[in-house]
Amino acid sequence: MAVEEALGQLGERGFLTGFEKILSWARKYSLWPLPFGTACCAIEFMAAVGTHYDISRYGWEVVRFSPRQADLMIVAGTVNYKIAPALMTVYEQMLEPKWVIAMGACATCGGFYNNYSVVQGVDRIIPVDAYVPGCPPKPEALIDGIFLIKDMIEKGTKRARDAWEKGGRR
């Protein structure tokens, strides 16, 4: 009864939700991933995009290799200090809002490369919103990580970038 009254008052003039909720709904079903693959985790990413796992059925099918057209960076593999400036440049060229997934042990914590040349976790150079564990993680784990990002968008959870800019880890 109350819903019918509200619909009657609105007529054809408006929606029953806010603009931010509509925008969040659209964003969570249209993530455009940008893979930054440097090692075996990138192969697992390719498996997730392939026909068997097929992330396109969730609306994340448009894999972009241009940072200006992507809103989800997936760092897959080992990042050393020589490639770190390129990773930071690509991240900074992405438009807002943007999210980052660190995929695999090497991207999250350096993995078994505990030496001077490997970045011991990409969260030391860019903000990371979700971590996908494993060496290399299975495509199901990556899909689970993307679902985590989708839930963050839906609920309006603060991104790692928000804390990063307010005196975070940089």
Side-chain angles (χ1 to χ4, degrees), residues 12-136:
E12 296 180 15
R13 293 179 292 168
F15 296 101
L16 291 177
T17 187
F19 178 72
E20 286 297 321
K21 288 193 177 201
I22 293 172
L23 197 58
S24 295
W25 179 83
R27 278 188 181 138
K28 75 179 182 180
Y29 288 114
S30 62
L31 287 170
W32 290 14
L34 179 144
F36 194 89
T38 58
C40 45
C41 288
I43 303 300
E44 296 297 325
F45 171 78
M46 287 182 229
V49 177
T51 55
H52 185 71
Y53 294 99
D54 194 16
I55 64 171
S56 65
R57 61 191 152 143
Y58 303 113
W60 313 318
E61 64 186 319
V62 185
V63 177
R64 292 294 175 180
F65 296 96
S66 169
R68 293 175 190 90
Q69 299 172 338
D71 54 5
L72 173 64
M73 174 183 271
I74 299 173
V75 181
T78 310
V79 176
N80 56 34
Y81 284 104
K82 197 170 187 177
I83 198 74
L87 173 65
M88 293 168 62
T89 300
V90 170
Y91 174 76
E92 290 168 0
Q93 288 178 345
M94 291 173 64
L95 296 177
E96 288 289 340
K98 54 189 168 187
W99 294 268
V100 176
I101 292 177
M103 178 182 178
C106 295
T108 58
C109 64
F112 52 82
Y113 298 110
N114 188 10
N115 60 35
Y116 68 92
S117 64
V118 174
V119 177
Q120 300 297 307
V122 293
D123 57 353
R124 294 178 183 222
I125 55 174
I126 60 172
V128 175
D129 295 296
Y131 297 90
V132 177
C135 183

Side-chain angles (χ1 to χ4, degrees), residues 2-16:
V3 174
E4 293 174 6
E5 287 179 19
L7 286 172
Q9 290 176 355
L10 281 175
E12 296 180 15
R13 293 179 292 168
F15 296 101
L16 291 177

